[in-house]
Amino acid sequence: VQLQASGGGLVQAGGSLRLSCEASGRTSSSYVMGWFRQAPGKEREFVASIIWSGITARYADSVKGRFTVSRDNAKNTVSLQMNSLTPEDTAIYYCAAKLTAAAQWNYWGQGTLVTVSS
């Protein structure tokens, strides 16, 4: 599975961005798709995930109510709508995939940089 993330950029605090991730290769309706981020000097952290063929989504507490993850099965894409951004959201955002909910995240995209200015 190959993952290509896009949509990062520079935005002012309080603004919005929408990230997209396109999956190609051996995609499957059972894949779980997710977003992670890594801020400068910090470890990579979970942001959100969504079951590929369902509507179940999970979010990190830090983004609940502000971020929304969604998927378009026909286009093999997963999106992350980010609202009310703060400088603390500044990070490289990575798209990831795994075969099942219990599996390890074993497919990763290249990352897209989100910078939120104060």
mmCIF file of all heavy atoms in Angstrom, residues 2-3 59 68 93 110:
data_model
loop_
_atom_site.group_PDB
_atom_site.id
_atom_site.type_symbol
_atom_site.label_atom_id
_atom_site.label_comp_id
_atom_site.label_asym_id
_atom_site.label_seq_id
_atom_site.Cartn_x
_atom_site.Cartn_y
_atom_site.Cartn_z
ATOM 1 N N GLN A 2 0.611 2.152 -0.905
ATOM 2 C CA GLN A 2 1.333 3.425 -0.938
ATOM 3 C C GLN A 2 0.376 4.535 -0.504
ATOM 4 O O GLN A 2 -0.781 4.542 -0.891
ATOM 5 C CB GLN A 2 1.861 3.723 -2.345
ATOM 6 C CG GLN A 2 2.986 2.812 -2.796
ATOM 7 C CD GLN A 2 2.469 1.456 -3.235
ATOM 8 O OE1 GLN A 2 1.514 1.374 -3.996
ATOM 9 N NE2 GLN A 2 3.088 0.389 -2.753
ATOM 10 N N LEU A 3 0.898 5.439 0.298
ATOM 11 C CA LEU A 3 0.085 6.533 0.822
ATOM 12 C C LEU A 3 0.716 7.860 0.448
ATOM 13 O O LEU A 3 1.917 8.051 0.625
ATOM 14 C CB LEU A 3 -0.021 6.421 2.345
ATOM 15 C CG LEU A 3 -0.587 5.111 2.885
ATOM 16 C CD1 LEU A 3 -0.472 5.068 4.392
ATOM 17 C CD2 LEU A 3 -2.028 4.936 2.457
ATOM 18 N N TYR A 59 -10.316 9.721 17.968
ATOM 19 C CA TYR A 59 -9.552 10.962 17.974
ATOM 20 C C TYR A 59 -8.720 11.072 19.242
ATOM 21 O O TYR A 59 -9.113 10.605 20.313
ATOM 22 C CB TYR A 59 -10.486 12.176 17.911
ATOM 23 C CG TYR A 59 -11.309 12.255 16.657
ATOM 24 C CD1 TYR A 59 -12.584 11.700 16.601
ATOM 25 C CD2 TYR A 59 -10.810 12.895 15.521
ATOM 26 C CE1 TYR A 59 -13.345 11.765 15.453
ATOM 27 C CE2 TYR A 59 -11.569 12.970 14.357
ATOM 28 C CZ TYR A 59 -12.835 12.409 14.337
ATOM 29 O OH TYR A 59 -13.582 12.476 13.185
ATOM 30 N N THR A 68 -11.906 16.465 12.124
ATOM 31 C CA THR A 68 -12.827 15.439 11.665
ATOM 32 C C THR A 68 -12.147 14.608 10.587
ATOM 33 O O THR A 68 -11.660 15.149 9.589
ATOM 34 C CB THR A 68 -14.110 16.061 11.096
ATOM 35 O OG1 THR A 68 -14.736 16.871 12.095
ATOM 36 C CG2 THR A 68 -15.077 14.968 10.660
ATOM 37 N N TYR A 93 2.349 16.049 9.542
ATOM 38 C CA TYR A 93 1.233 15.119 9.657
ATOM 39 C C TYR A 93 1.454 13.947 8.697
ATOM 40 O O TYR A 93 1.731 14.141 7.519
ATOM 41 C CB TYR A 93 -0.076 15.830 9.345
ATOM 42 C CG TYR A 93 -0.544 16.703 10.486
ATOM 43 C CD1 TYR A 93 0.126 17.882 10.804
ATOM 44 C CD2 TYR A 93 -1.629 16.337 11.272
ATOM 45 C CE1 TYR A 93 -0.276 18.677 11.876
ATOM 46 C CE2 TYR A 93 -2.049 17.126 12.334
ATOM 47 C CZ TYR A 93 -1.362 18.280 12.633
ATOM 48 O OH TYR A 93 -1.766 19.061 13.693
ATOM 49 N N GLN A 110 4.488 10.007 3.395
ATOM 50 C CA GLN A 110 5.715 10.790 3.533
ATOM 51 C C GLN A 110 5.560 11.989 4.460
ATOM 52 O O GLN A 110 6.548 12.567 4.839
ATOM 53 C CB GLN A 110 6.185 11.278 2.157
ATOM 54 C CG GLN A 110 5.560 12.568 1.661
ATOM 55 C CD GLN A 110 4.109 12.433 1.275
ATOM 56 O OE1 GLN A 110 3.509 11.359 1.311
ATOM 57 N NE2 GLN A 110 3.514 13.542 0.867
#
